[in-house]
């Protein structure tokens, strides 16, 4: 039996021998969680690799967002994007912060920075943009609005691992950026996430918050939760880090081939000229939902499963209050499809995907 299914992504598993050696070390020292030596080591190595000052590792990317809001005391309303993975919005709602959606730019797929200012009210305390598919937001314009109105900026940078903006990590923009290290992401720790905190004074608070609010055995200064990363996850990260060069090179090859073969046939995401790419997703934008469904069905017939990232548009969710309508995001979300992209995607499989997309488009 051979698994011939091709999904939108496939978890990259680094050297098993190396992972086993680390597991032997964990067994030998008996320290499996609670800010252990490998979590500390991964924090140090990631800070160097990414070019950031402060990094706090946590158990996943969703909780990273929640800890970010609580570290910065976000209350009331936050202006965010309707075109993202649901966690960007649900993390706000579960923390009693109301999401106010600024519609997106139909080319870059990021929040339209010109639409933020008009939505600001005295109840607004934050802006929560997303670097969608690793495409850098208009960070300078967003910073400017935030400063003018004294708002905090939390970037959901779940897709933006290793992305640079004008030669510097894009994670250094805003007050806090959050990362997801879920198994499906570019860099992963099985489950995991991180906060990149630009104000040194807030790091300690975030560390209390992820550990029940505890400072030491006798002092509990904050209302916290449990959001710790464990040692088995941290060593997966250490193994991944050693292989990121291969991961990025192989993804780039896949990305470039799609780009070359599908150029002029489907629409691509327009890239921010000041930011680098990490080749984490390959979205194609079709003319309408009917085209999308035809392509999806044709691929599904060959056991190829692209994903409708992101669908539905988050302003359509039942639990959103007040009700909102973002025309561009709703339109894009109906006609965007992410094609399979991962380091081990074989060339002949990719050629098959390209052929199916091309042939389907011919008949439309
Ligand atoms: C994956 C993802 C998250 C959530 O991260 P988890 O680690 O899965 O909790 C949040 N936001 C975006 C944009 C994501 O893609």
């Amino acid at each position: 039996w051979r698994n011939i299914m091709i999904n939108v992504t496939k978890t990259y598993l680094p050297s098993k021998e190396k992972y086993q050696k680390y597991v032997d070390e964990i067994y030998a020292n008996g320290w499996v969680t609670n800010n252990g030596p490998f979590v500390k080591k991964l924090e140090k190595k990631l800070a160097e690799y990414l070019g950031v000052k402060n990094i706090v590792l946590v158990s996943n990317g969703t909780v990273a967002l929640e800890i970010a809001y609580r570290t910065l005391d976000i209350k009331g309303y936050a202006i965010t994007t309707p075109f993202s993975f649901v966690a960007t919005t649900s993390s706000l709602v579960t923390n009693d912060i109301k999401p106010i959606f600024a519609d997106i730019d139909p080319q870059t797929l990021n929040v339209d920075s010109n639409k933020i200012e008009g939505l600001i009210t005295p109840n607004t305390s934050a802006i929560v943009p997303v670097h969608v598919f690793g495409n850098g937001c208009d960070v300078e314009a967003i910073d400017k609005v935030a400063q003018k109105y004294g708002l905090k900026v939390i970037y959901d940078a779940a897709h933006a691992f290793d992305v640079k903006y004008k030669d510097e990590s894009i994670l250094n923009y805003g007050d806090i950026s959050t990362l997801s290290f879920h198994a499906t992401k570019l860099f992963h720790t099985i489950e995991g996430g991180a906060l990149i905190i630009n104000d040194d004074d807030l790091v300690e608070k975030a560390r209390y918050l992820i550990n029940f609010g505890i400072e030491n055995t006798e002092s509990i200064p904050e209302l916290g939760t449990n959001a710790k990363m464990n040692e088995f996850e941290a060593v997966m990260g250490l193994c991944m880090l050693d292989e990121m060069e291969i991961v990025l090179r192989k993804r780039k090859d896949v990305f470039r081939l799609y780009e070359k073969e599908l150029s002029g046939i489907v629409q691509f995401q327009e890239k921010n000229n000041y930011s680098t790419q990490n080749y984490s997703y390959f979205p194609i934008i079709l003319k309408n939902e009917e085209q999308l469904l035809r392509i999806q069905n044709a691929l599904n017939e060959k056991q190829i499963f692209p994903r409708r990232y992101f669908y539905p548009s988050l302003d359509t969710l039942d639990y959103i209050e007040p009700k909102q309508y973002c025309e561009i995001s709703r339109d894009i979300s109906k006609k965007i499809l992410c094609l399979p992209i991962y380091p081990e995607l074989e060339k002949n499989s990719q050629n098959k995907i390209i052929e199916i997309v091309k042939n389907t488009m011919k008949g439309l």
Side-chain angles (χ1 to χ4, degrees), residues 14 19-20 30 41 48 72 119 123 133 170 201 207 232 244 262 336 349 356:
Y19 191 74
Q20 270 171 346
K41 187 170 178 178
E48 280 166 21
L72 296 165
L119 296 169
N123 290 323
F133 305 133
I170 202 161
D201 295 338
R207 292 204 183 279
F232 292 89
M244 282 314 286
L262 297 176
I336 190 164
S349 303
I356 294 170

Side-chain angles (χ1 to χ4, degrees), residues 60-62 65 84-85 87-88 130 156 158-159 180 182 185 192:
N60 62 64
T62 306
L65 284 163
S84 180
F85 182 60
T88 314
V130 180
D156 180 344
H159 300 175
S180 163
H182 183 256
K185 300 298 203 289

Side-chain angles (χ1 to χ4, degrees), residues 59-65 83-89 91 130-133 156-159 178-185 190-193 281 309-310:
S59 47
N60 62 64
T62 306
V63 92
L65 284 163
F83 189 72
S84 180
F85 182 60
V86 63
T88 314
T89 279
S91 60
V130 180
H131 304 297
V132 175
F133 305 133
D156 180 344
H159 300 175
T178 63
L179 293 164
S180 163
F181 299 153
H182 183 256
T184 55
K185 300 298 203 289
I190 310 168
E191 291 272 2
Y281 298 86
Y309 288 142
F310 296 104

Side-chain angles (χ1 to χ4, degrees), residues 220-265:
I220 308 173
E222 301 285 348
L223 171 64
T225 184
N226 178 4
K228 302 184 301 291
M229 178 180 279
N230 68 52
E231 293 288 277
F232 292 89
E233 291 168 335
V235 297
M236 178 58 80
L238 290 171
C239 293
M240 278 300 292
L241 212 45
D242 286 343
E243 296 182 33
M244 282 314 286
E245 207 183 306
I246 310 166
V247 168
L248 288 164
R249 180 164 38 80
K250 290 191 171 173
R251 280 179 171 277
K252 184 176 177 176
D253 289 345
V254 174
F255 191 100
R256 291 283 181 237
L257 185 63
Y258 275 138
E259 203 174 44
K260 179 168 152 263
E261 292 295 327
L262 297 176
S263 163
I265 295 170

